[in-house]
Amino acid sequence: MEDRPLIPIRTYVLVYIALMLLLFTNMAMAYVFLGRHWSNAISVGIGAIQFLLVFLFFMHVKYYRYPLIRLFACAGLFWIALLLVLTLSDYLTRNNPPDASPRGEPVFLKH
Amino acid sequence: MDPRSTDNLHLHEQFETLQQQEYAATLGMWAFMATEFLLIGVLFVAYGVCRMRWPEAFRRGSSEMHYWLGFFETAIILTTSFLVTLALRAAKLGNNRQVIALFATTVMLGAGFLTIKGTEWYLEYGEGLVPGYFTTIPTKEAHLPPDQQHPRPVQERLFMLFYYLLTGTHAVHMLIGMGLLSTMMFLTARGKFSASYHTPIELVGIYWHFVDLVWIFVFSSVYLLRQ
């Protein structure tokens, strides 16, 4: 049984074009003033879409016929998700320690 | 399998078929990739936590990045990923000359990427952004009177530390990837791979795409968060 079928070049070209368009969009959006939260969400969101395109099509995770390989491929991402959610559930809910200003204003050196 | 087949040269004794062997190798590669995801994931999560804690200092850090250089680096690395997928396809079709040409181009583009990266690090050194030589007053404003200077917050040094950790770890992985691609190129030229056996090329491809994935997030979460 062939593990990975031969994927048409057209698919790769389309994914590559999509990746480049997303890169241009991301770069352009960085110049548009949208406020911190929207801007950050769009930038990281576009990064996540690019990540998925590479992960699914270039790394062939979409095309593996064996579910166990897909499970292994997703395991790493699952652990990062776990790390992120559990860490942030701590940091976002605890009181700010004295050295950090609640709104994150910069601290300047006195000298 | 036909016992006279040359594929038997590549088949290790614990496996029944080449497909089974490839399955095991791919599974092992992904288990290794999971550890790589964790290695880099920890850095990203720590960066995210600090960014949430000192958003203003980190925003200032991002705005001092050379994002046009970052843009070219991203374009280069996405292109290399594309070339590697084409190389894997060529390997599957047994077109070894094409594999060598595509891998050679990838390695050269990778070297181009590292050159731009090095230039960027050098520029940041000159701007007083390297953590060890971090200057609170930007180098280009040093000659101005104090009321015209825009001092950097101390937490920006932390941002730069993350920046160097992330890009440095990425660059090391890239060097390893370039070494692996060169080895594959050499082995392909010596006729070690065929349409029925090219597992090492597939596995090195997975590694190279991982390098690409890391950079995608470095660019979108370190360079571009300027607001």
Side-chain angles (χ1 to χ4, degrees), chain A residues 1-9 12-13 16 19-20 23-24 26-27 29-36 39-41 43-44 46-48 50-52 54-55 57-61 64 66-69 72-77 79-80 83-84 87-88 91-92 96-97 99-109 111, chain B residues 19-20 22-23 26-28 30-31 33-35 37-38 40-42 44-45 48-49 51-57 59-60 67-68 70-71 74-76 78-82 85-86 88-89 92-93 136 150-155 157 198-199 202-203 205-207 209-210 212-214 216-217 219-221 224-227:
Chain A
M1 188 169 108
E2 178 65 28
D3 181 20
R4 273 159 274 184
L6 197 66
I7 297 140
I9 276 192
Y12 290 140
V13 174
Y16 177 62
L19 283 170
M20 292 309 266
L23 169 64
F24 281 111
N26 213 354
M27 195 67 187
M29 292 307 279
Y31 283 95
V32 182
F33 184 77
L34 295 164
R36 175 180 296 157
S39 171
N40 290 4
S43 181
V44 177
I46 290 179
Q50 286 180 314
F51 180 96
L52 278 179
V54 173
F55 186 68
F57 292 96
F58 282 3
M59 287 173 120
H60 296 135
V61 173
Y64 285 124
Y66 301 104
L68 192 60
I69 296 185
F72 267 54
C74 295
L77 301 186
W79 282 109
I80 293 184
L83 184 73
L84 190 71
T87 311
L88 292 185
Y91 274 98
L92 293 179
N96 283 296
D99 67 307
S101 66
R103 288 182 195 153
E105 285 103 356
V107 176
F108 297 99
L109 284 177
H111 50 86
Chain B
Q19 279 77 21
Q20 191 190 38
E22 186 186 341
Y23 177 32
T26 312
L27 200 64
W30 275 107
M33 280 298 111
T35 66
F37 277 132
L38 277 185
I40 209 80
V42 170
F44 272 112
V45 171
V49 166
R51 182 148 200 134
M52 277 173 197
R53 210 162 146 189
W54 298 291
E56 188 48 39
R59 185 205 63 75
R60 168 97 191 243
Y67 37 84
W68 275 105
F71 169 80
T74 316
I76 288 177
L78 290 175
T79 307
T80 60
S81 237
F82 173 60
T85 50
L86 293 186
L88 295 191
R89 195 175 185 281
K92 217 174 257 251
L93 293 169
T136 316
H150 300 85
R152 293 182 177 122
V154 281
Q155 289 90 353
R157 187 161 48 188
H198 49 267
T199 313
E202 302 252 15
L203 303 186
I206 293 176
Y207 187 85
H209 293 310
F210 164 76
D212 181 21
L213 288 183
V214 173
I216 286 173
F217 266 115
F219 183 64
S220 59
S221 66
L224 289 183
L225 305 188
R226 299 157 48 216
Q227 291 183 19

Side-chain angles (χ1 to χ4, degrees), chain B residues 161-173:
Chain B
L161 191 71
F162 275 116
Y163 164 78
Y164 277 98
L165 271 175
L166 283 165
T167 53
T169 313
H170 177 263
V172 169
H173 278 84

Side-chain angles (χ1 to χ4, degrees), chain B:
Chain B
M1 185 186 285
D2 179 2
R4 289 162 300 176
S5 164
T6 52
D7 291 344
N8 279 344
L9 292 173
H10 304 293
L11 186 64
H12 296 293
E13 58 187 309
Q14 68 269 37
F15 298 108
E16 298 209 328
T17 60
L18 274 178
Q19 279 77 21
Q20 191 190 38
Q21 182 175 295
E22 186 186 341
Y23 177 32
T26 312
L27 200 64
M29 187 66 192
W30 275 107
F32 169 61
M33 280 298 111
T35 66
E36 287 279 34
F37 277 132
L38 277 185
L39 169 78
I40 209 80
V42 170
L43 286 176
F44 272 112
V45 171
Y47 168 78
V49 166
C50 289
R51 182 148 200 134
M52 277 173 197
R53 210 162 146 189
W54 298 291
E56 188 48 39
F58 274 56
R59 185 205 63 75
R60 168 97 191 243
S62 283
S63 67
E64 293 202 61
M65 292 283 104
H66 299 272
Y67 37 84
W68 275 105
L69 292 181
F71 169 80
F72 287 121
E73 284 161 1
T74 316
I76 288 177
I77 207 161
L78 290 175
T79 307
T80 60
S81 237
F82 173 60
L83 294 179
V84 166
T85 50
L86 293 186
L88 295 191
R89 195 175 185 281
K92 217 174 257 251
L93 293 169
N95 191 344
N96 283 352
R97 289 174 73 90
Q98 213 176 342
V99 174
I100 295 170
L102 286 165
F103 275 181
T105 318
T106 305
V107 171
M108 278 190 284
L109 285 173
F113 176 98
L114 289 176
T115 310
I116 302 179
K117 190 79 250 162
T119 311
E120 212 184 321
W121 285 341
Y122 178 73
L123 290 172
E124 281 144 10
Y125 172 75
E127 288 158 12
L129 282 166
V130 178
Y133 300 94
F134 187 83
T135 54
T136 316
I137 307 299
T139 314
K140 61 183 174 192
E141 294 179 1
H143 64 283
L144 296 174
D147 58 324
Q148 288 176 32
Q149 290 172 338
H150 300 85
R152 293 182 177 122
V154 281
Q155 289 90 353
E156 197 181 326
R157 187 161 48 188
L158 192 62
F159 170 86
M160 289 312 295
L161 191 71
F162 275 116
Y163 164 78
Y164 277 98
L165 271 175
L166 283 165
T167 53
T169 313
H170 177 263
V172 169
H173 278 84
M174 200 152 182
L175 279 174
I176 297 172
M178 283 160 67
L180 290 172
L181 285 176
S182 307
T183 312
M184 288 304 122
M185 220 156 65
F186 178 68
L187 292 177
T188 309
R190 291 189 61 186
K192 294 278 181 196
F193 304 123
S194 62
S196 54
Y197 176 76
H198 49 267
T199 313
I201 296 184
E202 302 252 15
L203 303 186
V204 167
I206 293 176
Y207 187 85
W208 190 263
H209 293 310
F210 164 76
V211 174
D212 181 21
L213 288 183
V214 173
W215 184 261
I216 286 173
F217 266 115
V218 169
F219 183 64
S220 59
S221 66
V222 176
Y223 283 74
L224 289 183
L225 305 188
R226 299 157 48 216
Q227 291 183 19

